[in-house]
Amino acid sequence: MLALAGLVACDGPPDRTPTVGDADVSRGRQLVSDKGCVACHTFPDVKWPRGRLGPSLEDFGRQGLIAGQLPNQPGVLMQFVRNAPAQVPGTAMPAIPMTDQEARDVTAYLLQLQPR
Ligand code: HEC
């Protein structure tokens, strides 16, 4: 049974967000509006507002580093989006209170961003 489960996992469709668990990209898309991220950042699928205080995130899914210094990996990004100052001291990006699930959803959304 165990061996079979392993086989099934290997044959399954590729999981594009393997370490983000049960994250939901469309909820993440809604959250960047609800949490005010759009006031400071530009997203490819948000027409307005298109904030310019922070860097554009239109191509963020292909970016190698977060804030020029952290590896762009799901676990790191999850921490960064809810508490950037703890990860990058002195950053202008504020801490934004979120539940674990919200941080996962936002992370999954950010990691699939590319220009449309
Ligand atoms: C008050 C403005 C502001 C808000 C609100 C804000 N950010 Fe930022 N964000 C910034 C700034 C400024 C930076 C650049 C940080 C740095 O380089 O130190 C940044 C950086 C980032 C980065 C890294 C970008 C890169 O190119 O490396 C991500 C990802 C990000 N923010 C996501 C979010 C998300 C998701 C939210 C909402 C939960 C959010 N931000 C809310 C200002 C903001």
Side-chain angles (χ1 to χ4, degrees):
M1 252 345 238
L2 271 179
L4 189 63
L7 268 180
V8 169
C10 285
D11 287 347
D15 184 349
R16 286 200 250 170
T17 53
T19 48
V20 191
D22 59 342
D24 182 330
V25 169
S26 60
R27 267 198 319 246
R29 155 75 184 75
Q30 185 60 44
L31 281 164
V32 297
S33 290
D34 294 352
K35 297 279 176 187
C37 317
V38 293
C40 291
H41 294 287
T42 302
F43 297 88
D45 44 4
V46 179
K47 284 217 171 85
W48 187 89
R50 296 175 70 80
R52 295 199 165 266
L53 196 146
S56 165
L57 299 179
E58 291 186 287
D59 200 11
F60 188 73
R62 294 198 213 153
Q63 200 165 304
L65 293 174
I66 306 167
Q69 48 187 306
L70 303 169
N72 191 3
Q73 294 160 357
V76 181
L77 187 57
M78 246 184 86
Q79 301 299 319
F80 179 85
V81 292
R82 70 206 302 199
N83 195 355
Q87 306 291 311
V88 180
T91 185
M93 162 119 169
I96 298 167
M98 273 187 247
T99 64
D100 286 353
Q101 185 63 53
E102 288 172 335
R104 267 197 296 277
D105 294 342
V106 166
T107 296
Y109 167 70
L110 291 175
L111 287 175
Q112 54 81 53
L113 286 181
Q114 33 183 302
R116 320 219 150 163

